[in-house]
Amino acid sequence: MSAEEVGFVPDDDGRGGVTVMLGDTPQSHVDPGDPTHLVFDYVQYFACVLQTLPPGPLGVTHIGGGGMTLARWVNAERPGSPQIVLEPHTTLTEAVRRELPLPRRHRIRVRPLDGRTGVGQLADASADVVVLDAYAAGRVPAELTTSEFLAEVARVLKPGGVLLANLADEPGLRYVARVAAAGRPSLPQLALVASVEVLKGRRFGNTVLVAGRTPPDEDELLRRVRRMPFPAGVRGAAELARMAQAARPFTDADPGMSPPPPPAKGWRVL
């Protein structure tokens, strides 16, 4: 499969789940029959955070679409939620719409724009949640984690709104610390969700950075994370503040992509 070719790999169990591929890289897992069935760990972290927010519809902007797994989950769990998906890869979007149609009566609108351009066009205080889940060749684009861009995200968020960012990092979480430092001036209340092995520095993996102007409900978030089928944990505001203070923030003048993913077989630190 070429680097830009879109593919759909059915689950072995025959229950209807599908992994959306872009080249050899898994983009999303979608279960059209049950949009609440989440397979990728970081998407489950997203859901845990969203479940701590007040009930009712949520205005959600997604930077990166893929198979639109989280947008489908929000549509099912928070009916009536207006959602914007910023996805510049039009071939991917067209293939997903064709092979994995969105549910009826949804309020999901896909715009063929990159995150920086798309967020710049949004109105002030127009979103309850912004979800950053954008990767190019397995890495988060550098322009989406600078202080300048994260200030734009803060502009778009409502006063109690929250940014959720899927950030892959190596042991030590130095990249995550620099992103946290970049967001701290405009979104100072921070938390981090990840597997226990990633938090303990034993392996490369995905984390979800939670950032806003108001503190997340850490106790409720931890309760939900502990119910997950695999060991995961939360680093709270105090620890994230220390990480951010010790790190050099990414800026437009000094940007950086996330670390490259390890080989297919992965690795871990014993």
Side-chain angles (χ1 to χ4, degrees):
M1 187 180 291
S2 69
E4 291 297 303
E5 187 176 351
V6 181
F8 299 88
V9 180
D11 290 352
D12 293 335
D13 59 16
R15 295 180 181 177
V18 177
T19 298
V20 182
M21 306 289 294
L22 190 59
D24 295 326
T25 304
Q27 292 290 307
S28 311
H29 180 276
V30 177
D31 187 338
D34 181 7
T36 67
H37 176 211
L38 304 177
V39 171
F40 288 5
D41 56 359
Y42 73 87
V43 184
Q44 295 181 48
Y45 304 153
F46 284 155
C48 284
V49 180
L50 294 177
Q51 287 167 333
T52 70
L53 301 181
L58 292 170
V60 184
T61 294
H62 304 260
I63 303 170
M68 291 179 271
T69 306
L70 187 65
R72 297 168 195 262
W73 182 91
V74 171
N75 181 73
E77 292 288 322
R78 303 288 187 109
S81 293
Q83 301 186 74
I84 296 170
V85 177
L86 304 173
E87 176 52 71
H89 200 303
T90 55
T91 302
L92 174 60
T93 299
E94 290 166 2
V96 167
R97 284 185 179 277
R98 182 179 64 250
E99 301 294 331
L100 302 167
L102 290 168
R104 297 176 61 187
R105 294 185 292 276
H106 67 82
R107 297 186 64 191
I108 302 167
R109 300 292 176 263
V110 184
R111 298 182 181 178
L113 300 170
D114 65 85
R116 192 104 189 203
T117 302
V119 168
Q121 294 180 2
L122 298 176
D124 294 359
S126 58
D128 296 295
V129 181
V130 172
V131 179
L132 172 57
D133 185 15
Y135 279 73
R139 304 176 74 180
V140 181
E143 68 270 16
L144 298 181
T145 54
T146 67
S147 340
E148 293 85 352
F149 176 69
L150 296 176
E152 273 289 277
V153 170
R155 175 188 65 78
V156 167
L157 286 171
K158 296 176 183 178
V162 63
L163 166 68
L164 307 180
N166 172 27
L167 308 174
D169 204 356
E170 299 169 332
L173 299 178
R174 288 179 290 274
Y175 169 76
V176 168
R178 292 194 66 184
V179 177
R184 196 160 177 253
S186 49
L187 298 169
Q189 300 296 331
L190 305 167
L192 190 72
V193 186
S195 75
V196 169
E197 285 206 328
V198 169
L199 291 178
K200 288 185 175 181
R202 291 177 180 165
R203 67 173 177 86
F204 182 101
N206 293 82
T207 71
V208 168
L209 179 67
V210 184
R213 298 185 188 90
T214 57
D217 187 340
E218 289 183 23
D219 291 339
E220 178 62 18
L221 179 56
L222 186 56
R223 279 194 291 272
R224 292 188 175 276
V225 167
R226 283 176 172 168
R227 295 175 194 158
M228 297 179 71
F230 47 85
V234 176
R235 283 191 180 177
E239 190 168 358
L240 263 292
R242 288 194 293 271
M243 286 176 62
Q245 285 173 342
R248 186 173 81 256
F250 288 122
T251 65
D252 284 352
D254 181 25
M257 299 178 74
S258 62
K265 290 185 179 180
W267 55 268
R268 60 192 301 277
V269 178
L270 298 178

